[in-house]
Amino acid sequence: MMQEDFVFGLAGVWFVWLLGELALLDVRYGLLYDRLVLVVVLSAVYPWLLGMNALDTMLAGGLLGSGLLGGIRWVSHGGIGWGDVKLAGAIGLWLGMKLMVVALMLAFWLGGVVALGLLLGQGRSCAAKIPFGPFLTAGACFAYWFGMECWQCYERLL
């Protein structure tokens, strides 16, 4: 048990570090670099090899993340960038289906609250661009560490 917790924690530190780098780059330059997203994708083998996720769960999470954001990009005619779509797929591979739902819910909620604050507090227009990557990475980090508890609370409500 102790070794499993250590490995989970070590993988989590790696995941959070990668996502933190991506969030900072998105805030500073407005870009999510494909090479760093590819590192997230390739390192998604860690949760699989460590037995944290089954392969089908990982693939479903990746498909959910990239599919949902890709659909939003298509419907909004480019309101979300391709980098966000690719990052959501990479995060879904790490988290799996259930935790990806938690990550996306939190990311959209955080993004909406911040956007509303910028609209009301700073008088920004609705056309202002806000990078979504930091919200996506914040949701993913939260979901990695606390997402299963959130999912279990949700299941108890059903």
Side-chain angles (χ1 to χ4, degrees):
M1 185 68 161
M2 179 87 135
Q3 184 179 2
E4 291 174 2
D5 291 341
F6 177 74
V7 171
F8 177 81
L10 196 58
V13 168
W14 171 253
F15 185 56
V16 169
W17 179 77
L18 284 173
L19 295 183
E21 289 288 322
L22 282 160
L24 290 173
L25 289 168
D26 199 16
V27 167
R28 185 163 190 177
Y29 302 111
L31 295 170
L32 293 165
Y33 293 95
D34 286 345
R35 288 181 182 167
L36 199 49
V37 173
L38 182 61
V39 172
V40 176
V41 169
L42 294 175
S43 66
V45 73
Y46 293 147
W48 178 59
L49 290 175
L50 299 173
M52 293 170 10
N53 280 331
L55 188 58
D56 59 340
T57 303
M58 292 174 59
L59 295 175
L63 186 60
L64 171 68
S66 61
L68 181 64
L69 267 72
I72 291 171
R73 177 178 168 74
W74 180 67
V75 168
S76 67
H77 303 288
I80 287 187
W82 279 117
D84 297 315
V85 174
K86 292 181 266 188
L87 179 59
I91 289 170
L93 289 174
W94 259 87
L95 297 178
M97 183 73 147
K98 292 178 182 178
L99 297 184
M100 190 62 194
V101 170
V102 173
L104 288 171
M105 294 291 287
L106 185 59
F108 284 120
W109 185 82
L110 285 172
V113 168
V114 170
L116 186 62
L118 290 173
L119 281 171
L120 298 176
Q122 293 186 356
R124 293 230 181 139
S125 74
C126 289
K129 293 191 179 228
I130 301 169
F132 188 62
F135 305 112
L136 194 55
T137 59
C141 291
F142 179 86
Y144 183 83
W145 295 105
F146 309 108
M148 196 49 73
E149 289 83 4
C150 293
W151 185 263
Q152 290 168 351
C153 287
Y154 169 71
E155 283 182 333
R156 281 193 295 270
L157 291 174
L158 295 179

